[in-house]
C-alpha cells in the first residue's frame, strides 16, 4: 500500500467514523451514564467488534452476507433487537447524582466492553460496507494480510479518537444536568436515538 493510497484511506476512515451511527450513540450513552474514564471502555468493545468484522472481510467470509439472504437477515434482526433492548434500558435508566461516584458504577467494565462489542458486531451493514470499501485500497501485487493489518490499525485508531470525542462530549453534558427532569429528558433522548438506529437497521436491505 503506497503512502498516497493510505492517505486516501485514512481520510475515508475519518468520514466513516465521524458519521453518527449506533457506535456513536452507544459512546455518548456510556459517557452520559458513566463519565469519560469509565464510559470509554464501551469504545474498546466497539473496536474489538470492528477488528472481528475486518477479519471476516479479509478472510472472504463477508461474501456470505451478500449472497445468502437468511444469514444477512439473521444478523440484521439480532442487531435491531439489541438496539431496542438498549433503548429500553436507557428509557428506564434511574436518575443519578451529577457527581460521578464509584458507587454509581453498577455496570462492570467487562459489561461496558461487551455492550460496545455487540452494538458493532450485530450490524451487518458494517461488514457489507467494509467488504465494499476495503478492497478498493488494496494493492494486489503485494501481500494482502499486511495491507489489511495496516487498514485495521488505521481505522481502529481513528475510531478510538472519534469515540473519545463522543464519549467526552456526553460526559461534559452530564455535568450540566442540574435537575432530575433534565436527566430524564436526556436519558429518553438517547433511548429514542437507539430506537431510530434500530429502525434504520430494520430498513436495511441486502
Amino acid at each position: 500500500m503506497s503512502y498516497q493510497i493510505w492517505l486516501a484511506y485514512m481520510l475515508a476512515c475519518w468520514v466513516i467514523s465521524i458519521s453518527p451511527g449506533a457506535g456513536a450513540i452507544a459512546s455518548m450513552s456510556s459517557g452520559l451514564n458513566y463519565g469519560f474514564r469509565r464510559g470509554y471502555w464501551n469504545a474498546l468493545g466497539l473496536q474489538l467488534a470492528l477488528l472481528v468484522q475486518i477479519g471476516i472481510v479479509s478472510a472472504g467470509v463477508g461474501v456470505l452476507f451478500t449472497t445468502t439472504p437468511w444469514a444477512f437477515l439473521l444478523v440484521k434482526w439480532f442487531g435491531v433487537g439489541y438496539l431496542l433492548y438498549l433503548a429500553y434500558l436507557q428509557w428506564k435508566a434511574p436518575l443519578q447524582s451529577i457527581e460521578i461516584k464509584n458507587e454509581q458504577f453498577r455496570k462492570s467494565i467487562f459489561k461496558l466492553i461487551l455492550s460496545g462489542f455487540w452494538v458493532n458486531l450485530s450490524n451487518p451493514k458494517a461488514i457489507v460496507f467494509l467488504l465494499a470499501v476495503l478492497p478498493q485500497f488494496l494493492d494486489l501485487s503485494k501481500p494482502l494480510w499486511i495491507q489489511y493489518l495496516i487498514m485495521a490499525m488505521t481505522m481502529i485508531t481513528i475510531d478510538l479518537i472519534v469515540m473519545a470525542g463522543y464519549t467526552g462530549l456526553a460526559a461534559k453534558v452530564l455535568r450540566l444536568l442540574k435537575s432530575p427532569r433534565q436527566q430524564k429528558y436526556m436519558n429518553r433522548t438517547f433511548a429514542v436515538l437507539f430506537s431510530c438506529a434500530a429502525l434504520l437497521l430494520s430498513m436495511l436491505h441486502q
Side-chain angles (χ1 to χ4, degrees):
M1 177 182 291
S2 67
Y3 175 76
Q4 291 79 7
I5 293 177
W6 176 81
L7 184 60
Y9 172 74
M10 183 188 67
L11 293 175
C13 287
W14 278 107
V15 174
I16 295 167
S17 295
I18 293 175
S19 301
I25 295 171
S27 293
M28 289 188 289
S29 175
S30 295
L32 171 66
N33 288 314
Y34 306 104
F36 178 80
R37 292 183 62 182
R38 194 175 189 87
Y40 192 52
W41 286 101
N42 178 83
L44 178 59
L46 294 173
Q47 306 319 309
L48 290 175
L50 181 60
L51 188 60
V52 170
Q53 290 168 331
I54 293 176
I56 290 173
V57 171
S58 66
V61 182
V63 176
L64 178 68
F65 289 91
T66 61
T67 59
T68 310
W70 67 264
F72 182 87
L73 290 174
L74 180 65
V75 177
K76 183 182 81 169
W77 288 109
F78 173 78
V80 171
Y82 188 68
L83 287 172
L84 289 176
Y85 171 70
L86 292 179
Y88 170 78
L89 292 181
Q90 194 67 46
W91 188 274
K92 294 292 187 178
L95 302 182
Q96 301 173 342
S97 171
I98 299 305
E99 283 189 342
I100 300 177
K101 301 178 180 179
N102 290 334
E103 58 262 32
Q104 91 176 45
F105 295 147
R106 299 177 181 176
K107 198 169 189 177
S108 68
I109 288 175
F110 174 76
K111 287 184 177 180
L112 283 169
I113 294 174
L114 190 62
S115 177
F117 180 81
W118 284 120
V119 165
N120 255 3
L121 195 67
S122 62
N123 184 2
K125 183 178 180 180
I127 293 181
V128 175
F129 180 80
L130 290 173
L131 183 64
V133 172
L134 295 187
Q136 309 302 320
F137 296 93
L138 291 174
D139 184 347
L140 299 181
S141 66
K142 298 179 180 179
L144 297 183
W145 71 269
I146 296 179
Q147 297 179 71
Y148 273 118
L149 180 61
I150 292 173
M151 289 192 289
M153 297 309 297
T154 300
M155 180 172 286
I156 287 173
T157 300
I158 291 174
D159 205 53
L160 280 172
I161 295 172
V162 173
M163 292 308 122
Y166 279 125
T167 306
L169 177 64
K172 290 295 184 182
V173 170
L174 175 66
R175 290 166 174 79
L176 299 178
L177 302 179
K178 302 298 184 181
S179 71
R181 172 180 287 185
Q182 290 173 317
Q183 293 183 48
K184 180 179 179 180
Y185 286 156
M186 185 62 67
N187 283 336
R188 294 194 171 181
T189 296
F190 278 106
V192 171
L193 289 175
F194 273 122
S195 298
C196 289
L199 177 61
L200 291 174
L201 183 57
S202 71
M203 297 171 64
L204 177 66
H205 296 287
Q206 188 176 6

